[in-house]
C-alpha cells in the first residue's frame, strides 16, 4: 500500500516499510526549502548536517561538522551562551524552542526557529529541526545571576552535606572558581585553572564525559555522583568521590552553572568493596547493552500510536476498544520498567563504589520524597524506627529501598491500603552487620514464586528484576536480602548491611 501525491511521487505507508519515518522526513525536508535538520552532541557540536541544512544555510558538512552550533550565530549570542543554556533546557523539559539568527555561507543572516529534542541514542545528543521564520529576533539579554556566585556554590554544598572542597563550573564545563580546599586536594593554585576546561584538570573514571553528567544533573534535577581522577594520570592513582549539582540563580529559574564537590581522596584499593575489572567492555556486554537500549525506541513508538488512537479515534472505537488501549498502555509501561531494570542490573557491577557513612533514615526519607505521589494516591503508610548508620553507597542504598517500597505499593492487595514497616532488629551482631526487618501487607508470593525469586527472579511478575537488583546491592555492601516469610497477605524481608563503625563527627562545611 502506498500514498500518492500530486507530483506523482509515492511513499509506502508506515505498516509496510520500517524506514517509513526516515523517508517521510526526507520527503518533507526536500519539499520545504525553509526547513532543515541537524544533529548536535551534548556540548552543542554539530555531528550531523543533513542535505537540507546545506540547502538552507549554504554551509558544507565538511565545514561545520565538529564545530559548535554557536559558530553559525552572531557573536553576541555566542558570548551569552544562549545555545548552551537552551540545550540544558531541552534536557530538563524533553523539548524546547529557540529563535536564533544564523549566518549563511554568503554572509546573510537568516532568523530561524530551532526545535530541539534530546535523542536517547548510544551516543546521546540532540535532533534539531531548523525553520527559517524571516522575522528578526531580539538580542539576548544578559543572564541574571547571584551577585556573589561563591555564596551560591556554597548554598549548593549545604544541600549535599558540605564536602571538603569544591569547584565552580560554567555552562560549558569551564572552571570559574576553585576553593582553597579543592586547590589543596588537587595540588593546584586556586586561580591557575580559572577559565580552563574542567576536562583538562579532572575526568570521571567511568566511560562517560563531563557533559553526560551535566545534562543528567539538569534532566533529573538531582545531584550526580561519580569518581574522578586527574586528567593526566591513570585510574590506578588517587581518586576522589565527587558530587555534581546544578547551580541556579537567586530566583531559581535560570541555570547559571554547576558545583562540583570533592570528597576525601581515596587510594585505588579503597575505591570499591566488590571487584571490578578495568578491561575493555566485552563484545557480549556491548551487544547486550545495545539490544536493551534498542528496545526502548519501539516501546516509545507503540505508546505514541496508542496516544494518537486515544486522542483521534476514541469516540468511534467503543468501550471495549478503549479498554484494550488501556491494557496495551499498561503492558508497555511494564515492559519499559523491565528494560530499565535490566539496564540497572547490567550497570550495577560497573558503578563506582566508595563506602561512606550513610544514615538509613535519611536515605528512606529521600525515597519517600521521590515516591510522594505514589504514596499519597494509594493511601500508603510507612512506619520507620531508628535504623542507624551503615557503611556504603547512598545512591545504591536509595535504589534498594526505592525498589522495595515501590513494589510493596504497586502490588498491593485490592481494597487494602498499603502498610510497610522497617525496623532494626535488636542487638548488634559480632560479624559487623546491621539487620533490618522489612514487612509489607502486599500480595506476597506463593511458595513456588518465592523460590523463583531466589533462583530465577525474571520469572516472577512485578517483582523479580527489582528484588534481584536489591539483593545484588545488599551483597555489594557485604550483606544480603532474604525472604523470611511470605503468604497472600504480605512478605517479610531480612536486609543485612555492613554496619558503620566510625563514630567520628561529620565534617562541617568549609570556611574561607
Amino acid at each position: 500500500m502506498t500514498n500518492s501525491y500530486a507530483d506523482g511521487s509515492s511513499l509506502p505507508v508506515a505498516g509496510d516499510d520500517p524506514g517509513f519515518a526516515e523517508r517521510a522526513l526526507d520527503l518533507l525536508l526536500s519539499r520545504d526549502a525553509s526547513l532543515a535538520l541537524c544533529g548536535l552532541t551534548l556540548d552543542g557540536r554539530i555531528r550531523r548536517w543533513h542535505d537540507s541544512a546545506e540547502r538552507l544555510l549554504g554551509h558544507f558538512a565538511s565545514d561545520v561538522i565538529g564545530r559548535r552550533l554557536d559558530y553559525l550565530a552572531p557573536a553576541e549570542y555566542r558570548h551569552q551562551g544562549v545555545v548552551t543554556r537552551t540545550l540544558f533546557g531541552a534536557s530538563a523539559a524533553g523539548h524546547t524552542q529557540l529563535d536564533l539568527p544564523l549566518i549563511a555561507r554568503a554572509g546573510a543572516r537568516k532568523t530561524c526557529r530551532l526545535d530541539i529534542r534530546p535523542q536517547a541514542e548510544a551516543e546521546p545528543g540532540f535532533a534539531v529541526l531548523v525553520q527559517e521564520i524571516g522575522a528578526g529576533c531580539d538580542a539576548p539579554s544578559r543572564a541574571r545571576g547571584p551577585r556573589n556566585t561563591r555564596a551560591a556554590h556554597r548554598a549548593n554544598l549545604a544541600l549535599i552535606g558540605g564536602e571538603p572542597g569544591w569547584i565552580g563550573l560554567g555552562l560549558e564545563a569551564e572552571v570559574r572558581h576553585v576553593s582553597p580546599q579543592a586547590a589543596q586536594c588537587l595540588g593546584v593554585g586556586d586561580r591557575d585553572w580559572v577559565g580552563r576546561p574542567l576536562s583538562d584538570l579532572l575526568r570521571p573514571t567511568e566511560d562517560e564525559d563531563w557533559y553526560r553528567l551535566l545534562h543528567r544533573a539538569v534532566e533529573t534535577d538531582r545531584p550526580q555522583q561519580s569518581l574522578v581522577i586527574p586528567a593526566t594520570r591513570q585510574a590506578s592513582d588517587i581518586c576522589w568521590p565527587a558530587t555534581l549539582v546544578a547551580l541556579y540563580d537567586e530566583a531559581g529559574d535560570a541555570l547559571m552553572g554547576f558545583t562540583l564537590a570533592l570528597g576525601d581522596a581515596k587510594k585505588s584499593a579503597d575505591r570499591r568493596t566488590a571487584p571490578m575489572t578495568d578491561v575493555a567492555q566485552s563484545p557480549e556486554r556491548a551487544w547486550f547493552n545495545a539490544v536493551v537500549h534498542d528496545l526502548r525506541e519501539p516501546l516509545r513508538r507503540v505508546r505514541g500510536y496508542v496516544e494518537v488512537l486515544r486522542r483521534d479515534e476514541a469516540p468511534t472505537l467503543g468501550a471495549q476498544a478503549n479498554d484494550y488501549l488501556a491494557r496495551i498502555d499498561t503492558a508497555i509501561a511494564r515492559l519499559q520498567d523491565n528494560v530499565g531494570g535490566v539496564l540497572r542490573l547490567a550497570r550495577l557491577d560497573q558503578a563506582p563504589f566508595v563506602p561512606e557513612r550513610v544514615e538509613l533514615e535519611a536515605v528512606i526519607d529521600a525515597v519517600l520524597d521521590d515516591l510522594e505521589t505514589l504514596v499519597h494516591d494509594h493511601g500508603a503508610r510507612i512506619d520507620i524506627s531508628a535504623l542507624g548508620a551503615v557503611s556504603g553507597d547512598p545512591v545504591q542504598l536509595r535504589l534498594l529501598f526505592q525498589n522495595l517500597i515501590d513494589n510493596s505499593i504497586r502490588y498491593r492487595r485490592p481494597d487494602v491500603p498499603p502498610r510497610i514497616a522497617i525496623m532494626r532488629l535488636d542487638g548488634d551482631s559480632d560479624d559487623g552487620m546491621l539487620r533490618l526487618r522489612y514487612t509489607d501487607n502486599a500480595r506476597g508470593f506463593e511458595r513456588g514464586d518465592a523460590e523463583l525469586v531466589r533462583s530465577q527472579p525474571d520469572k516472577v511478575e512485578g517483582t523479580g528484576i527489582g528484588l534481584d537488583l536489591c539483593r545484588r546491592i545488599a551483597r555489594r555492601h557485604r550483606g544480603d536480602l532474604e525472604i523470611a516469610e511470605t503468604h497472600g497477605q504480605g512478605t517479610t524481608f531480612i536486609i543485612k548491611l555492613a554496619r558503620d563503625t566510625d563514630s567520628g563527627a561529620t565534617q562541617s562545611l568549609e570556611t574561607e
Side-chain angles (χ1 to χ4, degrees), residues 6 46-47 84 101 104 137 186 221 247-248 257 264 319 364 389 407 409 420 429 447-448 477 483:
I46 298 170
R47 69 179 182 192
T84 304
C137 56
L186 301 174
D221 195 26
L247 178 73
Y248 293 90
D264 293 328
I364 297 175
N407 265 342
I409 296 176
I420 299 167
S429 62
R447 182 175 299 276
H477 286 71
I483 298 178

Side-chain angles (χ1 to χ4, degrees), residues 179-230:
S179 74
Q181 288 83 353
Q184 183 176 5
C185 285
L186 301 174
V188 299
D190 58 356
R191 299 185 183 275
D192 294 346
W193 283 86
V194 173
R196 297 175 63 178
L198 176 64
S199 57
D200 290 349
L201 178 62
L202 293 170
R203 65 178 178 87
T205 59
E206 302 302 306
D207 293 331
E208 58 185 346
D209 59 29
W210 281 115
Y211 271 91
R212 292 199 187 190
L213 288 172
L214 297 181
H215 280 275
R216 200 176 298 151
V218 175
E219 178 186 3
T220 63
D221 195 26
R222 298 287 181 187
Q224 299 299 306
Q225 295 188 325
S226 184
L227 206 62
V228 300
I229 61 174

Side-chain angles (χ1 to χ4, degrees), residues 321-342:
N322 280 293
D323 179 60
Y324 282 134
L325 287 178
R327 292 173 183 237
I328 292 171
D329 220 8
T330 300
I332 293 169
R334 173 67 186 151
L335 282 171
Q336 288 177 323
D337 286 344
N338 282 347
V339 170
V342 169

Side-chain angles (χ1 to χ4, degrees), residues 445-456 459-460 486:
F445 308 104
E446 298 294 337
R447 182 175 299 276
D449 282 346
E451 292 301 319
L452 279 176
V453 168
R454 297 184 180 95
S455 59
Q456 303 178 59
K459 303 294 186 183
V460 184
T486 185

Side-chain angles (χ1 to χ4, degrees), residues 49 59 69 151 153 171 246 292 297 338-340 351 363 367 454 473 485 487 489 494:
W49 194 248
H59 300 287
L69 183 63
H153 286 296
L171 290 175
V292 175
E297 183 56 31
N338 282 347
V339 170
V363 168
V367 169
R454 297 184 180 95
I473 292 173
E485 182 182 4
H487 42 71
Q489 297 184 352
I494 301 299

Side-chain angles (χ1 to χ4, degrees), residues 106-117:
R109 284 194 183 194
K110 294 189 175 185
T111 301
C112 299
R113 176 158 295 156
L114 310 183
D115 192 290
I116 305 171
R117 297 177 184 271

Side-chain angles (χ1 to χ4, degrees), residues 206 272 276 281 285 289 346-352 476:
E206 302 302 306
R272 61 201 74 220
M276 186 189 83
Q281 188 180 65
R285 174 57 67 88
N289 287 343
R347 291 171 176 166
L348 180 62
D349 292 334
Q350 295 184 345
R476 199 163 192 210

